[in-house]
Structures are given as C-alpha cells and as structure tokens.
Amino acid sequence: MIYLDSAATTIVHKNVADAIYNSLVEDIGNPSSLHRLGLEAELKIRNAKKIVADLLKVERGSIIFTSGGTEANNLAVVGGALARRRYGNHIITTHLEHPSILEAFAHLQKQGFDISYISVDSKGYIDLEKLKASLREDTILVSIIHVNNEIGTIQPIDEATNIVKSHSKHIYMHVDAIQSFGKLKLYPKQTGIDLLTFSAHKIHGPKGIGGLYIGEGIMLHSLVHGGGQEGGLRSGTENLSGIIGLAEAVKFVTPYIKQDINPMYELKKILCESILDKVKDARINGPDILEGAPHILSMSFPGINAQTMLHALEQRDIYVSTGAACSSRTADISYVLKNIGLPRDIAKSAIRFSLSYMNTKDELFGIGEIVGEIVDELRPFIRR
Ligand SMILES: Cc1ncc(COP(=O)(O)O)c(C=O)c1O
C-alpha cells in the first residue's frame, strides 16, 4: 500500500497506539476525582499540555483540549465572536477556509454578525491590502487558515497578524493551523496570534482529539456546558487516552519541525517530478512545489475525471483524494479550486496527493509511471 492521503488523516504511529493502549489499561481515574487515581490522570493531562505547549513555545496553561479541530475552530470563532459581541459585530475570514470555519461563520451570520471574506489570488494567497481595507471600527475577530488543506497555500500569517493588530490590538486573531501543526514553524505568542487550533490525526495521532491555544486575556464563550472542565471552556470528562495519544504524536513530529527545511519537501519534489516526467500536460494547482506546504500537492490531469483517477489508483493500492476529503463526496467542483479561478474542467480533474513523515522516497519514484499508465488507459475514452 502507498498512502498519499495524509492531509485527510495520517496513519497512527506505533508509539501513539502503544501509549493509547497503555493509557486505556492503566489510567483508571477520572481527572476530576479527588483521590490519587484522579490526581494521576490530571497530572498526565498537564504533562500532555506541556508537550504541546513546548512545540508552540507557549505556556502550558494556554492549551485546552477538544474533540478535534472542528470543535476547536468552532470554539475559537463562535466562542470568540460571542464573547466580544458588545464591542462590535464585524468578523473577517477568507474564501479558502475549511468548512469548520466557513460553517461557523455562516452560523454567526444567522445570528446577525456581519462578515467580510478576503479573496485569494490564483495560487490561493490572500490579498493583504484587502484585509487592511476590510478592517473596521466594529471588527472583533479575524480568522485565517495557515495552510490550506486542498492546495497547500501557506498564508502570510505574520503580516496578516501585524495588519490586524496595528488596526486594533483588541481584535481577536485566530489561525486554523491544523494542516501546519507539526510541519511548519508558527509560534502564536511570538507572532501575536490570540487563538490557534490543532488536531492530532493530522500528525499520526488518533482521530477525535485536538485543541486550542488561547492567549493571555482572551475570553471565549463556551459552547459545551456541563461540569466545568478545561477552566469551564470545554465541559466533559477529558479524553485522556486521546490526549496521551496526541502528546505522543507531538513527540514524534518535534524533531522534524526543528530541522531548517522540512524533510517532506524532498519527498514532494520527487513525487511531483516523477508525475511531470510521465504526464506532460499534468499541472500543479496552487503554489509552486517548494512555496506551498511540504505535504500537499494538488495536480490536474486534463480530461481525466478525478474520481476515475482516484479509483484507478485505489485498484493499485495507492490512496489519494480528489480535492479535500470532506468535500469530495459532493458532485460539484471544490470551492477552493473555484476560488483560485481554476477552469471547471481542470478543477474536475484535480487530485490531491498528500504526504507524511512516514512516506519514503522509494515509494514515490514510481508514482509517475503508474499515473502515466492510468492516463494512457483513460484518455482514449475521453469524449471530444
Ligand atoms: C484546515 C483544517 N481545518 C480543520 C479541520 C478539521 O479537523 P478535525 O478533523 O480534527 O475535526 C481539518 C481536517 O480535515 C483541516 O484540514
């Protein structure tokens, strides 16, 4: 098997699976219980927070855990906007966000919030001048994705944060860093970001656990009410084994992120060159290979339906996505590809190859040959 769908989810690392198993068997207590077993469980959560906090270069107390990236994004955006409502009702995001942000914004719009969407260029970069021009007296929150999950564009978060904070330091700056966490260096406290979301299953951790960095003095309305865990921001008995798994996954990715150049760039280059060598009219969607995220490569094969290509690859035990996993079941073309202005026929043939630290060069050298064979098989059937 060659797994090239790691932007959708990654293969759980063995150390992570072992740590989760051990935690399920050994960690008996409820972290809220007052006895020793409860305290031990609570200490494990604190330790996990420290591991995440060290990766982000922030304090342990600024991390909370949620049921994943979607919940963390909702808490940041909906919880942040509701908490700041009395100061204004204008919120800003981009056209290239994940549905967990776009739908949270749509929900806020129904509640009377006014939204500005920042447009993007043909490679997916936001227009910083438009961001500047969109800021108003009543702007209370800005949410920008760090790495787009479909085409891998890396947004200029430092500049965007500077623009927002120069307008008013009271505007909440949220970054969906779910695709970049553990892959690119982004330190929220140093950058001035107030809220930053992450998710375990994109870095070889388990599904259904993620979290949020919350900067000092940032107030949020909680969305889940109950026993008051996580400082009242996220009630519910903590998913301890998931949290342990997340921390173990962070330990696995930490040495990679310390390197000057992410080692996945080399893999991405091999993959892309192997395909371009065999399919002459293949084209890259979004940023150039070394400019985009190290693990995401979107390519179109004109005339070839993306789903047909996906299943042809699947038959050869190679797993990829058409566009983003969450939107790929819908018949329409991806809104991300539409927003970067890709012609419909090119968008319909877009395949997302996505890598992880577990892929090897040897797996990737031969992908072009296989894709080339499939293109040659399918091309005669194209209706002209
Ligand atoms: C950019 C981005 N944001 C949010 C999410 C949602 O995260 P989760 O799957 O942990 O809910 C994903 C995952 O698909 C993502 O890629």
Side-chain angles (χ1 to χ4, degrees):
M1 177 184 78
I2 303 180
Y3 187 72
L4 300 176
D5 201 15
S6 289
T9 196
T10 51
I11 297 170
V12 172
H13 192 276
K14 183 170 182 314
N15 293 352
V16 172
D18 288 347
I20 292 173
Y21 176 80
N22 292 338
S23 172
L24 284 170
V25 174
E26 291 163 13
D27 300 334
I28 296 165
N30 183 323
S32 299
S33 290
L34 293 180
H35 49 67
R36 181 175 57 84
L37 298 178
L39 193 66
E40 280 170 10
E42 196 198 328
L43 286 177
K44 292 208 170 170
I45 294 178
R46 278 200 207 184
N47 184 39
K49 286 191 178 174
K50 175 85 174 85
I51 291 167
V52 173
D54 285 350
L55 186 77
L56 295 174
K57 300 195 175 177
V58 298
E59 288 81 33
R60 171 174 55 77
S62 60
I63 301 295
I64 72 157
F65 293 124
T66 63
S67 69
T70 298
E71 187 192 330
N73 274 347
N74 273 267
L75 177 58
V77 165
V78 179
L82 293 180
R84 296 290 298 166
R85 190 164 210 175
R86 69 188 140 122
Y87 302 103
N89 80 331
H90 179 235
I91 53 182
I92 301 176
T93 192
T94 81
H95 279 305
L96 233 58
E97 303 296 312
H98 184 267
S100 56
I101 293 292
L102 292 175
E103 293 302 319
F105 268 75
H107 170 74
L108 288 169
Q109 192 168 32
K110 283 190 208 131
Q111 315 234 334
F113 284 91
D114 190 13
I115 305 180
S116 296
Y117 291 95
I118 309 299
S119 55
V120 295
D121 66 16
S122 62
K123 290 186 174 180
Y125 293 105
I126 53 165
D127 184 332
L128 289 170
E129 284 308 312
K130 282 212 177 108
L131 171 65
K132 203 173 192 172
S134 306
L135 290 159
R136 308 193 316 217
E137 274 294 294
D138 60 342
T139 306
I140 52 166
L141 181 140
V142 176
S143 181
I144 300 178
I145 193 167
H146 187 200
V147 164
N148 175 267
N149 45 301
E150 218 171 309
I151 53 172
T153 310
I154 306 172
Q155 298 299 351
I157 293 294
D158 290 27
E159 285 110 305
T161 306
N162 254 331
I163 289 171
V164 170
K165 291 292 175 180
S166 313
H167 183 83
S168 161
K169 62 182 188 338
H170 299 297
I171 299 173
Y172 283 5
M173 179 71 195
H174 169 248
V175 176
D176 173 350
I178 287 163
Q179 286 293 343
S180 62
F181 182 66
K183 294 167 193 130
L184 297 175
K185 296 181 174 78
L186 179 64
Y187 304 117
K189 197 172 174 194
Q190 289 175 15
T191 310
I193 295 164
D194 300 305
L195 297 155
L196 178 141
T197 36
F198 53 90
S199 180
H201 75 108
K202 310 291 185 185
I203 55 161
H204 307 284
K207 298 165 184 67
I209 183 77
L212 181 62
Y213 158 78
I214 306 173
E216 217 181 308
I218 300 301
M219 308 298 283
L220 300 175
H221 271 204
S222 71
L223 309 180
V224 182
H225 309 285
Q229 288 89 344
E230 295 288 20
L233 278 176
R234 205 276 173 179
S235 285
T237 302
E238 296 86 342
N239 174 3
L240 180 55
S241 57
I243 290 169
I244 299 283
L246 165 57
E248 200 60 41
V250 170
K251 280 193 215 161
F252 169 64
V253 297
T254 297
Y256 293 109
I257 195 132
K258 287 191 176 148
Q259 296 179 25
D260 287 339
I261 298 172
N262 190 300
M264 282 189 287
Y265 276 118
E266 202 187 342
L267 300 177
K268 183 178 175 184
K269 200 161 170 277
I270 291 169
L271 173 65
C272 187
E273 282 170 359
S274 136
I275 295 171
L276 288 175
D277 186 43
K278 298 290 175 190
V279 188
K280 297 293 174 217
D281 61 349
R283 49 167 290 176
I284 300 168
N285 304 318
D288 298 338
I289 43 173
L290 299 181
E291 208 183 272
H295 64 304
I296 297 177
L297 175 66
S298 172
M299 290 184 97
S300 283
F301 304 97
I304 309 286
N305 178 285
Q307 285 202 19
T308 312
M309 171 63 87
L310 179 147
H311 292 303
L313 286 167
E314 181 185 7
Q315 278 173 3
R316 290 154 174 91
D317 223 7
I318 299 170
Y319 299 89
V320 298
S321 268
T322 64
C326 31
S327 63
S328 55
R329 285 186 198 279
T330 60
D332 202 16
I333 63 162
S334 124
Y335 64 88
V336 169
L337 300 180
K338 219 187 259 180
N339 277 314
I340 62 168
L342 224 57
R344 204 178 160 75
D345 56 322
I346 303 290
K348 278 179 88 170
S349 70
I351 292 286
R352 179 186 69 182
F353 301 90
S354 55
L355 301 162
S356 81
Y357 294 122
M358 287 189 190
N359 287 116
T360 63
K361 288 183 205 170
D362 286 347
E363 289 178 314
L364 301 172
F365 285 121
I367 298 290
E369 180 99 42
I370 296 167
V371 173
E373 270 170 34
I374 297 171
V375 169
D376 290 344
E377 270 169 37
L378 296 174
R379 280 251 159 92
F381 301 106
I382 297 171
R383 263 182 280 150
R384 288 174 202 280

